[in-house]
Amino acid sequence: QASQEELKAAYRRLCMLYHPDKHRDPELKSQAERLFNLVHQAYEVLSDPQTRAIYDIYGRRGLEMEGWEVVERKRTAAEIREEFERLQREREERRLQQRTNPKGTISVGIDATDLFDRYDEEYEDVPGSSFPQIEINKMHISQSIEAPLTSTDTAILSGNLSTQNGNGGGSINLALRRVTSAKGWGELEFGAGDLHGPLFGLKIFRNLTPRCFITTNCALQFSSRGVRPGLTTVLARNLDKNTMGYLQWRWGIQSAMNTSIVRDTKTSHLTVAMQLGIPHSFMMVSYQHKFQDEDQTRVKGSLKVGFFGTIVEYGAERKISRHSVLGATVSVGVPQGVSLKIKLNRASQTYFFPVHLTDQLLPSAVFYATVGPLVIYFAMHRLVIKPYLRAQKERELEKQRESTASDILQKKQEAEAAVRLMQESVRRIIEAEEARMGLIVVNAWYGKFVNDNSRKNEKVKVIDVTVPLQCLVKDSKLILTEASKAGLPGFYDPCVGEEKSLKVLYQFRGVLHQVMSADNEALRIPKQ
């Protein structure tokens, strides 16, 4: 956002600082000449509206790209940005065509009722009966991939396999989706399986107003019993910024009418639903609280009451790595019993493990289903996950340091040369500031500081930037904008990829002050 006048003023100041003719020492003169040329190149780029717009969008790499000579010189910065955004959209479309967007779910049902529902007299004469029998009684695997055909057409191939107590089957589906306009799309679906006959379906989505949309899904399922038609319609409306209302009507297999209200905010998610249908009618309330921490922790609870009985569920989920979220839910119901559901989301893959513990309402089962996962999680997090993530972060930092080592070395040499060239100017600035009882930087450090006792084993990595900061003082003021301070004259990055701060001890009107500023935080001293 710097104006042309501000650019000219900064250019003149740095030219005076780095002009080769001001230095007699051959080594200093050579260093000054290199820095002077860098300043001149920067000013040439930023003083031209077109090259400045290219730099704002692409960075230095954009200036090295070929083809800018064919761009009209009369174009404004806004027009160049629009051109860039258009190219970005085209690039995204090409990427979209190369992307299959795979999604999958693996569900493994575990029967662990033998842990709590055993009858000892039945096992007295059975060899090995002292050990409870835990078995897998059902599995489900589904997978889908997308293949963009054009910018508006997409083919979706999906399949699933299911088995329960030794019996199972599978199906495969192909869907063709076309975006008809900005307001809607349509989808044709064809499917076949060994448990059911061929399936033909049509799904239509349409925005009725900016706050209301409708989805209709028609299906024809062919089987040995004949044709079974089905129709599902969902009408949704934005009630306010964070709240959606839904009305659903389902006719055919398991006909039902359902209404629900969903409120989703930054810190919470609330769902209230009611359904009247065959065979199930129910009322349900669900609430989820979102903690604003880096692990994106969420706790949730729900109550569901219907003709099938009553179910209470509570649980939590937490991010355990960059792409993985782990969750656990305890389900207590009458007559369903007690179950523990463990879910792991890894990128676009979901792994689900429902563990049925007992058919009865046993306090011991509820206790172990609640406490067991917590103990195991915290033990695993402390002994396995945390050390693994720390080692992974160190490897990434080390890799980043190696890839930028030569660049950082060059920046360091330029910064050291700049500091040597600043000495005479800084001496004059200090004399002027002392005469008016103004701003004098006593000490300044930039880099990684360790103030927390829990991080006392980490190494402090800072550089002395007293001279470069004093050189930036003008009229007893020091003003730094919202940008990384590693780019300031006389600065360089002492700890690539790590959190950095600037610590300044300064004197103003004869009184000592100290200030700490984050790397990208704006700074203005003296403080009012």
Side-chain angles (χ1 to χ4, degrees), residues 316-463:
E317 66 177 42
R318 197 175 198 186
K319 193 174 180 180
I320 57 173
S321 71
R322 186 182 301 170
H323 303 292
S324 302
V325 177
L326 180 64
T329 303
V330 179
S331 177
V332 182
V334 177
Q336 290 82 4
V338 181
S339 297
L340 171 65
K341 302 172 184 176
I342 298 170
K343 185 167 74 171
L344 174 66
N345 287 329
R346 173 73 179 172
S348 59
Q349 301 294 315
T350 300
Y351 305 91
F352 187 51
F353 302 93
V355 184
H356 188 51
L357 298 176
T358 172
D359 295 322
Q360 308 171 53
L361 282 182
L362 296 179
S364 57
V366 176
F367 174 79
Y368 285 112
T370 304
V371 176
L374 286 173
V375 172
I376 293 170
Y377 169 76
F378 284 113
M380 290 285 290
H381 188 264
R382 189 173 185 85
L383 300 176
V384 179
I385 298 173
K386 210 171 178 181
Y388 170 76
L389 292 177
R390 193 185 301 122
Q392 188 182 44
K393 187 178 179 182
E394 281 297 323
R395 285 195 298 271
E396 288 175 357
L397 284 175
E398 191 60 38
K399 192 175 179 181
Q400 193 176 357
R401 289 190 197 106
E402 288 175 3
S403 64
T404 58
S406 58
D407 187 43
I408 293 297
L409 180 62
Q410 183 183 346
K411 296 284 185 186
K412 181 180 178 182
Q413 291 170 349
E414 288 178 2
E416 290 171 347
V419 168
R420 287 194 291 271
L421 296 170
M422 290 175 183
Q423 296 291 346
E424 184 60 31
S425 296
V426 166
R427 185 183 62 77
R428 290 197 300 270
I429 291 170
I430 290 175
E431 287 177 358
E433 293 296 326
E434 282 178 341
R436 63 167 79 128
M437 292 284 286
L439 177 61
I440 298 172
V441 178
V442 180
N443 281 115
W445 302 271
Y446 174 67
K448 176 185 174 184
F449 296 85
V450 180
N451 301 319
D452 191 350
N453 287 332
S454 63
R455 298 165 57 201
K456 60 186 177 183
N457 59 328
E458 297 183 25
K459 188 179 178 183
V460 176
K461 301 172 186 174
V462 296
I463 56 172

Side-chain angles (χ1 to χ4, degrees), residues 267-321:
T267 59
S268 65
H269 183 95
L270 174 68
T271 302
V272 180
M274 181 176 70
Q275 175 173 302
L276 297 174
I278 302 170
H280 294 310
S281 296
F282 64 85
M283 292 184 65
M284 189 266 287
V285 178
S286 172
Y287 178 78
Q288 183 181 89
H289 183 75
K290 307 171 188 176
F291 292 92
Q292 302 302 303
D293 58 352
E294 61 179 13
D295 293 324
Q296 299 177 12
T297 306
R298 300 183 178 192
V299 295
K300 53 188 176 182
S302 69
L303 172 65
K304 196 173 184 179
V305 181
F307 292 163
F308 52 80
T310 302
I311 299 175
V312 175
E313 291 189 344
Y314 57 90
E317 66 177 42
R318 197 175 198 186
K319 193 174 180 180
I320 57 173
S321 71

